[in-house]
Amino acid sequence: MKKLFILLSITTVIGLNAQITLSHNTDDVITPTNSVGCPGGDNQWARFFDLGDFDVTGDFTIESGRIGVQTAGLTDEIAIVSIYQADNDFPFGTLTLLGSQDVVVPVGSDETYLEYTFDTPVVVPASAGMIHVEVAVPLGFNYFIGGTATETDT
């Protein structure tokens, strides 16, 4: 079964100078016609990250990230990236919002990555075993399809 996920990575800063990237992508190629989105509708894509899989054991700060864009609309779009602390009971568990950032998706950004920096870095507490990262394009925007890779991790 083929699984479709938005290409998404989050850069975190741990300690003084250490940096880590959270990603489940097996490659960085945005594949045309590989994603699903509702034109003119409310669209959301998400990834869960088990922090233990990335050897994250203490508090850490998320400063930046990037999202893949398969298709952008006829005007600039706003995608909202939200970081939640998650428990292990997906999809019925509790999500606690830790921070979010509006990201402008400019016209002409088809099949590209958009890098962004959080205006206010997101602090993830050591008690967070998992985080949920969501990219949402609210109802009323004209068109946006998140980019996906041909091969993704499960």
Side-chain angles (χ1 to χ4, degrees):
M1 175 206 271
K2 187 177 199 177
K3 296 190 178 201
L4 303 177
F5 293 106
I6 191 163
L7 290 171
L8 175 72
S9 62
I10 299 292
T11 302
T12 63
V13 176
I14 301 174
L16 295 175
N17 294 316
Q19 190 169 316
I20 186 170
T21 298
L22 304 179
S23 179
H24 292 295
N25 301 332
T26 57
D27 64 45
D28 283 341
V29 177
I30 297 172
T31 305
T33 69
N34 201 42
S35 302
V36 178
C38 297
D42 192 20
N43 287 284
Q44 296 159 316
W45 300 266
R47 295 297 291 267
F48 274 89
F49 295 95
D50 182 332
L51 300 178
D53 292 347
F54 298 92
D55 296 323
V56 176
T57 57
D59 289 357
F60 69 99
T61 302
I62 299 173
E63 295 184 343
S64 62
R66 70 180 187 156
I67 55 175
V69 178
Q70 176 184 300
T71 306
L74 301 173
T75 61
D76 290 353
E77 303 284 345
I78 301 294
I80 303 164
V81 179
S82 299
I83 310 291
Y84 297 88
Q85 181 174 339
D87 62 23
N88 293 326
D89 193 22
F90 177 78
F92 305 106
T94 302
L95 297 176
T96 303
L97 181 64
L98 300 175
S100 62
Q101 179 65 45
D102 289 358
V103 178
V104 176
V105 181
V107 171
S109 58
D110 294 5
E111 297 181 33
T112 62
Y113 281 99
L114 296 177
E115 297 192 11
Y116 58 89
T117 301
F118 284 91
D119 292 336
T120 302
V122 178
V123 177
V124 179
S127 61
M130 296 184 76
I131 60 171
H132 171 97
V133 180
E134 175 189 69
V135 176
V137 179
L139 181 64
F141 289 96
N142 66 70
Y143 201 68
F144 171 83
I145 299 177
T148 60
T150 303
E151 299 291 327
T152 56
D153 197 4
T154 51

